[in-house]
């Protein structure tokens, strides 16, 4: 499963040097952080609306868009899926309450 994320991360990294007229992702990078964040906000809202509708296919579609744009953000910030997976791995086995309490300390 993470192979797909890594492959996508490689493509997103390669798009950093692409002509903004040749690639949607290159265009997002060229517009900067605010444009990427706006897109994530839009996709998060669409994900919420799909969940409220209860349509499984629509939920998966919107979450895929949200993940994709989150990966664009990670690449823009010099991060990748491995960084997020490492954080999830670090949290694995902790209760959510313990993890949240640890952040306050």
């Amino acid at each position: 499963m993470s192979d797909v994320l890594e492959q996508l991360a490689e493509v997103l990294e390669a798009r950093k040097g692409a002509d903004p007229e040749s690639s949607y992702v290159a265009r997002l990078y060229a517009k900067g952080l605010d444009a990427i964040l706006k897109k994530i906000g839009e996709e998060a809202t669409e994900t919420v609306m799909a969940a409220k509708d209860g349509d499984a296919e629509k939920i998966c579609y919107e979450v895929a868009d949200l993940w994709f744009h989150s990966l664009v953000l990670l690449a823009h910030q010099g991060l990748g899926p491995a960084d997020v997976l490492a954080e999830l791995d670090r949290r694995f086995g902790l209760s959510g309450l313990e993890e949240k309490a640890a952040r306050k300390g």
Side-chain angles (χ1 to χ4, degrees):
M1 195 171 359
S2 65
D3 288 345
V4 172
L5 294 177
E6 287 301 327
Q7 290 171 0
L8 184 51
E10 289 174 15
V11 170
L12 295 176
E13 194 63 34
R15 294 292 191 271
K16 285 183 176 180
D19 178 357
E21 295 302 314
S22 70
S23 161
Y24 168 76
V25 172
R27 192 173 307 143
L28 267 180
Y29 288 143
K31 289 181 179 179
L33 182 60
D34 286 345
I36 295 167
L37 295 175
K38 180 180 177 187
K39 197 63 187 164
I40 289 173
E42 290 170 8
E43 299 303 343
T45 299
E46 290 171 6
T47 298
V48 169
M49 292 185 324
K52 293 288 274 179
D53 290 344
D55 180 337
E57 186 177 329
K58 198 171 174 184
I59 292 167
C60 287
Y61 182 89
E62 296 302 343
V63 169
D65 281 351
L66 180 57
W67 284 15
F68 177 84
H69 289 90
S70 295
L71 289 168
V72 171
L73 171 65
L74 289 171
H76 186 268
Q77 300 292 69
L79 300 165
D83 298 298
V84 177
L85 292 172
E87 177 59 18
L88 289 172
D89 188 53
R90 182 192 69 77
R91 295 180 189 186
F92 192 76
L94 291 176
S95 80
L97 296 175
E98 289 172 349
E99 195 280 327
K100 190 171 183 176
R103 282 190 262 156
K104 291 181 181 179

